[in-house]
Amino acid sequence: MDTQNSSVRPYARSRTGGKNHPSRGTRRGVQRGGVIHDNSRHTSRFTVIGNHLAQHAELSLLAIGLAVHIQSLPSGALVDIETLAGRFPEGRSRIAGALRELEVHGYLRRTRVRTDGGLIVTRTVSCNRPGRSGATEEPEPRPRRSADKPARRRALPAVPQPAYPAPDLLRTALEVLAGLRGEDSRLLLSATDAEHLVPGVAAWLERDLPPEAVQRALTAGLPPEPLTRPAALLAHRLSAQLPPLPPFRAPDRGSGSAVRHPLQNCDACDRAFRGPEPGTCAVCAPER
């Protein structure tokens, strides 16, 4: 009775306890259990699905799969219960329940609308990223600037101001700016830029410089690369290279101090000259 039965196989020692469980940890660098991904890069016929849907904590597996199928369909495809029940074996009631799940969590929007012919149809909108519907949803990206909201332009540098902004002087300054594009096509200015630069050119003309000299000063030695902001370059030159005022020419007979007359346009040659009143310049006066 106390003899051991040698024909009975001894019990095998359990290998699933503690750290030797096949689904826990690794042994000698070999992973035991858990999924291993064998991924290939898709270059065509693929649909991007967010983890907020694929790993949703509240949606059923049927609802997640149905959402993936709907998001992979082209626009205009039928996704009513009858069509989906004919495509999948789950049946009408289960598919209807899955659609309701997706609607509750914002992945579907279904509304009843009336067509032009008077029929009532269901319009279904599939949302691949509903607002804060999943716990793992990523933050919303920064919106891009729309076409109707252009980037705010940086202000142009300040330009010198003339002492006597006479209309003829400002008109001549505008003609100087308009002629710059004939010297260099990159100096094509907008009306707003020209309006900002006109006083600076007028300040140069006030210093007894002919328009041709101002144009040469503004166009000489331009960089060979494209000009991203030609108006800013011209504004800088008008300020940095402003020539000094010429000496006063006419004394004030009343006080004995020197005065500076405003620029006038010559009635004969239309050149600018300084004088107390309109008339002819020093070059045309002897001829007349």
Side-chain angles (χ1 to χ4, degrees), residues 253-273:
R253 296 180 180 178
S255 61
S257 60
V259 295
R260 182 173 177 78
H261 295 301
L263 285 175
Q264 310 288 350
N265 273 36
C266 179
D267 295 339
C269 66
D270 202 33
R271 290 183 178 178
F273 74 98

Side-chain angles (χ1 to χ4, degrees), residues 144-157:
R144 294 183 178 179
R145 189 181 300 274
S146 59
D148 57 346
K149 293 182 179 179
R152 182 179 298 177
R153 294 185 57 188
R154 289 179 294 172
L156 294 175

Side-chain angles (χ1 to χ4, degrees), residues 53 59 63 66-71 73 79-81 84 95-111 122-131 133:
L53 172 61
L59 288 175
L66 190 57
V68 172
H69 171 71
I70 293 175
Q71 292 184 20
L73 296 176
V79 290
D80 57 282
I81 297 176
L84 294 174
I95 289 178
L99 291 175
R100 286 193 296 270
E101 287 185 62
L102 296 176
E103 194 171 8
V104 168
H105 290 280
Y107 288 93
L108 284 184
R109 294 198 305 268
R110 293 187 292 181
T111 56
T122 300
R123 174 177 296 171
T124 303
V125 178
S126 174
C127 304
N128 70 339
R129 192 185 180 93
S133 60

